[in-house]
């Protein structure tokens, strides 16, 4: 009985606590899981979770899976439902709550565009419909804000294709708004100038220089609508950031509305929607994830994920002699954690 218990303990993942019958199976799990200090972790038992959704389930704050009872009890007593941290006392939780629970940012009535402050800007677009049935998305309004939520750029956009559905109920956009609007090509150049910040486009492909990080939700959709491209390593997309994605065998995106409500504590996209509030929500999510203190793993270097393979097949026998903790110390994330932007 004791030897069996020791074997199970030796073959237990030090991150997610899954148990394996054979050490070689644990090694294969570590190859595939990409556990790292950057994963969301339970503040009670320390278990690593792939996403915040998975951590909510573990803490009994989600609805997909049964929680771990001990962790759920501790979280119910002294846990923050937004950041999912567990605090040592009810008093410390009360002191923390106002900093975590944010309020909806009012749209400036007379925005005064200014030079961006900080190393990141957020982009948001509102689409109207083109095509015979009005289902083809074309950009009709664009907004760019800086890290302090000040508007850097905000314009109506005249699409290349005729608009067949203004989607007024959600966009608030009427034909007169687009009649004298800038052409999408002009808007593209102006937004690109803000992002490049004086750098040459060819240079940004391999070296950031002064170019800005671009934050948003569903950035590919917005950039496509503007006819733009931007290097992947400079994009910070809340729709495809693993800790913010849905819990499933295959990660899927959560909506910006859900993420804002569950992580920031307020509602967006009600009534006529201004792209400013989408920009603000995405920027707040980015800054919240960037502020996480995971530490810098010794084996990650500049934090660019799994550029090298930490568990090569030729080291199999050596790996099988290691402890679960040693294997975890070697493991690399498969994404760039935003905490490394600091």
């Amino acid at each position: 009985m004791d030897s069996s218990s020791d074997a199970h303990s030796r073959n237990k993942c030090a991150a997610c606590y899954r148990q394996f019958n054979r050490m070689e199976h644990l090694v294969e799990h570590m190859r595939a899981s990409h556990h790292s200090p950057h994963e969301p972790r339970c503040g009670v038992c320390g278990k690593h979770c792939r996403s915040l959704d998975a951590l909510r389930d573990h803490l009994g704050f989600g609805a997909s899976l049964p929680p771990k009872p001990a962790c759920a009890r501790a979280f119910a007593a002294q846990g923050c439902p937004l950041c999912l941290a567990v605090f040592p006392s009810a008093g410390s939780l009360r002191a923390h709550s106002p900093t975590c629970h944010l309020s909806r940012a009012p749209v400036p009535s007379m925005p005064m565009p200014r030079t961006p402050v900080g190393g990141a800007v957020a982009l948001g677009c509102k689409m109207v419909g083109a095509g015979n049935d009005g289902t083809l998305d074309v950009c009709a309004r664009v907004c760019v804000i800086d890290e302090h939520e000040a508007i850097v750029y905000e314009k109506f956009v005249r699409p290349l294709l005729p608009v067949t559905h203004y989607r007024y109920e959600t966009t608030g956009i009427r034909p007169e708004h687009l009649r004298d609007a800038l052409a999408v090509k002009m808007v593209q150049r102006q937004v690109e100038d803000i992002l490049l910040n004086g750098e040459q486009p060819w240079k940004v492909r391999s070296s950031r220089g002064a170019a800005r990080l671009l934050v948003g939700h569903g950035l590919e959709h917005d950039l496509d609508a503007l006819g733009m491209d931007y290097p992947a390593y400079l994009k910070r997309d809340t729709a495809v950031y693993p800790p913010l994605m849905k819990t499933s065998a295959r990660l899927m995106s959560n909506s910006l509305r859900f993420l804002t409500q569950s992580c920031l504590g307020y509602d967006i996209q009600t009534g006529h929607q201004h792209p400013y509030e989408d920009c603000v929500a995405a920027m707040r999510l980015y800054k919240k994830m960037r502020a996480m203190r995971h530490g810098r793993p010794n084996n990650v270097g500049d934090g660019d994920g799994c550029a090298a393979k930490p568990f090569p097949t030729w080291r199999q026998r050596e790996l099988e002699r290691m402890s679960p903790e040693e294997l975890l110390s070697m493991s690399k994330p498969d994404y760039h954690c935003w905490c490394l932007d600091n």
Side-chain angles (χ1 to χ4, degrees), residues 34 43 51 60 79 111 120 125 152 160 291 305 311 324 334 341:
H34 297 284
S51 67
C125 297
V152 173
L160 293 174
F311 303 112
D334 58 350
D341 289 347

Side-chain angles (χ1 to χ4, degrees), residues 200-209 231 233-234:
Q200 295 296 318
W202 62 267
K203 187 176 180 181
V204 173
R205 299 297 164 188
S206 57
S207 176
R208 175 184 172 186
Y233 79 96
L234 292 177

Side-chain angles (χ1 to χ4, degrees), residues 331-342:
S331 188
K332 294 174 179 283
D334 58 350
Y335 64 92
H336 173 84
C337 182
W338 293 345
C339 79
L340 297 172
D341 289 347
N342 287 322

Side-chain angles (χ1 to χ4, degrees), residues 61-73:
F61 199 63
S64 302
L65 297 171
K68 183 176 180 181
C71 298
R73 285 193 298 271

Side-chain angles (χ1 to χ4, degrees), residues 108 111-117 120-122 143-153 276 279-280 283:
M112 298 292 293
R114 69 179 195 182
T115 302
V117 177
V121 294
C143 183
V144 180
I145 68 166
D146 65 13
E147 291 194 18
H148 298 282
E149 303 177 9
I151 290 180
V152 173
Y153 184 86
Y276 174 77
C279 291
V280 169
M283 180 61 79

Side-chain angles (χ1 to χ4, degrees), residues 137-187:
D137 286 345
V138 290
C139 181
R141 197 173 194 179
V142 63
C143 183
V144 180
I145 68 166
D146 65 13
E147 291 194 18
H148 298 282
E149 303 177 9
I151 290 180
V152 173
Y153 184 86
E154 197 268 322
K155 298 285 184 184
F156 286 104
V157 184
R158 188 172 72 253
L160 293 174
L161 299 176
V163 178
T164 54
H165 194 329
Y166 284 88
R167 304 174 185 173
Y168 176 77
E169 294 78 8
T170 56
T171 67
I173 296 174
R174 296 183 182 275
E176 55 266 30
H177 291 134
L178 307 187
R179 191 168 297 132
D180 299 319
L182 291 179
V184 66
K185 290 292 185 182
M186 177 61 73
V187 172

